[in-house]
Amino acid sequence: MTSPSDKRVLRVFADYGASTPLWGAGLIEDLDALGLSLGLQQTLRETAEVFNDSVVPELGWKSEQRRHEYMRLLDESVKGLTAELGSRCTIIKE
């Protein structure tokens, strides 16, 4: 059995211009290589798209509604990642 300290750490946060909010070891993760379901891959990509379309670098969110949509998708992404990878990865929402 994998101990918590042996688990791979995946961080979930959007970075402007990135295609997904999933990061590991400082690099964006390959969603296909992780074996994620297509539905979760789509949610992760949508999360990044909402962030990229809704944030003006150095100025912030275009609207509070878009920020709430991003946060909803981020929470949905973390929930899905925990369900699909939680036994072998530590998921950290940032």
Side-chain angles (χ1 to χ4, degrees), residues 54-69:
S54 303
V55 172
V56 177
E58 296 160 14
L59 294 177
W61 292 95
K62 292 180 180 178
S63 74
E64 191 65 16
Q65 179 182 359
R66 296 301 284 174
R67 186 182 75 78
H68 284 292
E69 176 66 6

Side-chain angles (χ1 to χ4, degrees), residues 70-89:
Y70 165 74
M71 294 305 294
R72 183 190 67 75
L73 286 166
L74 190 67
D75 288 342
E76 186 177 326
S77 295
V78 169
K79 186 175 182 178
L81 288 164
T82 301
E84 292 189 21
L85 300 176
S87 64
R88 56 189 170 118
C89 297

Side-chain angles (χ1 to χ4, degrees), residues 28-40:
I28 198 162
E29 285 291 324
D30 180 338
L31 303 181
D32 288 323
L34 287 171
L36 300 176
S37 67
L38 293 178
L40 181 52

